[in-house]
Amino acid sequence: MAGNNGGPWGGGGNNGSGDDDNRPNGGRKPGAEGPGIPEIDDLVNKGREQLRVLMGGGGGGNNKGTGGGGGGPQLTRGTIGLGLLGAAALWLFASFYTVKPEEQSVELLLGRYLQTGGPGLNFAPWPIVSREVIAVTSERNIDIGTSRAGMDAGLMLTGDENIVDIDFQVVWNITDPQQYLFNLANPPQTIEAVAESAMREIIAQSELAPILNRDRGAIADNLSTLIQTTLDSYDSGVNIIRVNFDKADPPDPVIDSFRLVQDAEQERDRVQNVADAYANRVVAEARGNAAQILEEAEAYRAQVVNQAEGEASRFSAVLAEYRNAPEVTRKRLYLETMEKVLGGVEIILLDEGDGSGQGVVPYLPLNDLRRNSPAAPAAGGSN
């Protein structure tokens, strides 16, 4: 350490050890190129001069120090005026805004609702008043379903415990921008959640077949009403224009089997309809026959009763006559009875004459023989 005799920065300088590079101030030794304190003064003086010029003082009048302010930028009153005019123009440009006919604006005073601006040129002094311009008449769409979302959003459970895949679209616009901006944190997400929930509620109250066939229009109407009612309860400022019921099918993994079942059910219905038609025809014929038989029986009953009543009346009349004239009546009854008994009998009278039988042709009853024979010959003589 015998060579280090140069003060606090080390002595020598030509010892070849390289210690000067590790010193502050770039390795320069204080006092090697002049005093260090005057350089700091120059910097301070330059700063003061520039500040004085900016505050409106003249430049170059005080050149104390080495640098001086005479060579720095100088601002005049005209320059400052131009700057103020430019700033005012920018402020007006930022404060005036235009609202299109299909839009409305919401002006906010320090973040709070101030008023709603209509179409045309509006003024909102920036930055105290800010604004939000929203399109209110344009239609906005939200698609819900499996094919669009790529998930299970469209799979819903029906009232008869079947699963149906539904795709539908909600078309809406904004009616109240203030409510739309301040009452819902995320209006599109809220509308989507409400629409999906309402559709699940409606599907859960219906069976599968009407959903697939005839009730799509009614379901869309009910869904639109239910979504609007729910959003109105939120003061959302949203209007549901319509609901497009795009698709209602069984899930893809079972759609082929479902169609087979549908075909089988249609065939069952067809056969059942044929059987019902046959049953209706047979039952109608049976009922007609039964009615005919009843009418015939009724007619027979009336006939028998009338006949019995007639015979009873005739018997009473005969009895009265018999009581008045028994012998005559008895004889008349006898003759009438014999007439009835012998009325259908074939009578042949043979006149035997003197009893020898001469002159009379013997009678041969060919008709009786023909009737009594089991099988009469087709041809042959009769005598």
Side-chain angles (χ1 to χ4, degrees):
M1 301 298 289
N4 187 7
N5 55 0
W9 299 98
N14 55 354
N15 54 2
S17 62
D19 293 340
D20 294 342
D21 297 337
N22 298 327
R23 293 170 182 165
N25 196 19
R28 291 177 299 176
K29 296 179 181 178
E33 297 178 356
I37 295 177
E39 294 179 353
I40 297 175
D41 292 340
D42 292 341
L43 295 176
V44 173
N45 291 331
K46 286 183 178 179
R48 287 177 178 177
E49 183 64 20
Q50 292 179 355
L51 180 61
R52 187 181 62 78
V53 171
L54 291 176
M55 296 299 295
N62 186 6
N63 292 331
K64 296 180 180 179
T66 58
Q74 298 181 0
L75 295 179
T76 62
R77 294 181 182 273
T79 304
I80 294 174
L82 291 177
L84 292 176
L85 289 176
L90 292 175
W91 181 78
L92 291 175
F93 179 76
S95 299
F96 281 99
Y97 64 97
T98 303
V99 177
K100 297 179 180 178
E102 67 272 14
E103 297 175 339
Q104 288 186 357
S105 65
V106 176
E107 298 180 357
L108 308 176
L109 177 61
L110 301 178
R112 289 181 175 274
Y113 172 76
L114 178 61
Q115 63 180 356
T116 300
L121 186 63
N122 291 264
F123 177 72
W126 181 85
I128 298 175
V129 178
S130 59
R131 77 271 185 177
E132 184 82 20
V133 180
I134 300 175
V136 294
T137 59
S138 60
E139 295 183 354
R140 307 167 189 244
N141 302 327
I142 293 180
D143 297 328
I144 302 174
T146 303
S147 60
R148 295 185 174 92
M151 299 183 296
D152 295 339
L155 298 180
M156 301 181 184
L157 184 64
T158 63
D160 52 355
E161 299 181 354
N162 287 306
I163 296 177
V164 61
D165 186 6
I166 293 179
D167 289 353
F168 64 100
Q169 183 184 60
V170 181
V171 183
W172 57 282
N173 61 4
I174 300 171
T175 56
D176 193 329
Q178 178 191 0
Q179 294 180 350
Y180 179 77
L181 292 177
F182 290 95
N183 292 345
L184 297 180
N186 190 337
Q189 186 175 0
T190 302
I191 295 172
E192 180 179 357
V194 170
E196 182 178 347
S197 176
M199 178 60 88
R200 290 185 183 279
E201 179 181 349
I202 294 174
I203 294 300
Q205 297 174 356
S206 180
E207 296 183 353
L208 178 62
I211 295 173
L212 300 179
N213 298 320
R214 68 174 189 271
D215 287 352
R216 292 192 178 190
I219 290 175
D221 294 339
N222 294 335
L223 179 61
S224 178
T225 303
L226 186 57
I227 295 173
Q228 186 66 64
T229 302
T230 306
L231 293 177
D232 290 344
S233 66
Y234 297 161
D235 293 332
S236 62
V238 173
N239 175 48
I240 302 299
I241 300 176
R242 63 182 178 275
V243 173
N244 298 325
F245 200 155
D246 298 333
K247 187 186 78 171
D249 290 328
D252 291 339
V254 299
I255 189 170
D256 293 336
S257 300
F258 179 82
R259 288 174 178 172
L260 292 176
V261 173
Q262 291 292 316
D263 294 341
E265 290 181 352
Q266 292 178 0
E267 180 65 18
R268 181 201 61 188
D269 294 340
R270 187 189 66 80
V271 174
Q272 185 172 357
N273 291 333
V274 173
D276 291 341
Y278 175 76
N280 293 333
R281 181 172 58 82
V282 172
V283 170
E285 291 178 357
R287 288 177 178 175
N289 294 333
Q292 182 179 2
I293 293 173
L294 287 176
E295 291 180 357
E296 291 177 356
E298 184 67 22
Y300 178 74
R301 183 190 66 81
Q303 178 184 359
V304 171
V305 170
N306 292 333
Q307 185 177 359
E309 290 178 352
E311 290 179 354
S313 298
R314 188 175 64 86
F315 178 77
S316 298
V318 172
L319 179 60
E321 294 296 331
Y322 179 79
R323 288 175 177 172
N324 294 328
E327 188 63 28
V328 175
T329 303
R330 184 182 301 111
K331 186 176 182 179
R332 183 173 64 85
L333 291 175
Y334 174 78
L335 293 176
E336 290 177 355
T337 302
M338 293 304 295
E339 181 179 1
K340 292 179 180 178
V341 172
L342 299 178
V345 177
E346 184 179 0
I347 301 174
I348 300 174
L349 299 177
L350 298 178
D351 186 9
E352 294 179 354
D354 55 358
S356 59
Q358 296 297 325
V360 178
V361 177
Y363 172 70
L364 180 61
L366 295 178
N367 294 332
D368 293 340
L369 294 175
R370 189 178 294 110
R371 285 195 298 266
N372 294 330
S373 62
S382 59
N383 49 4

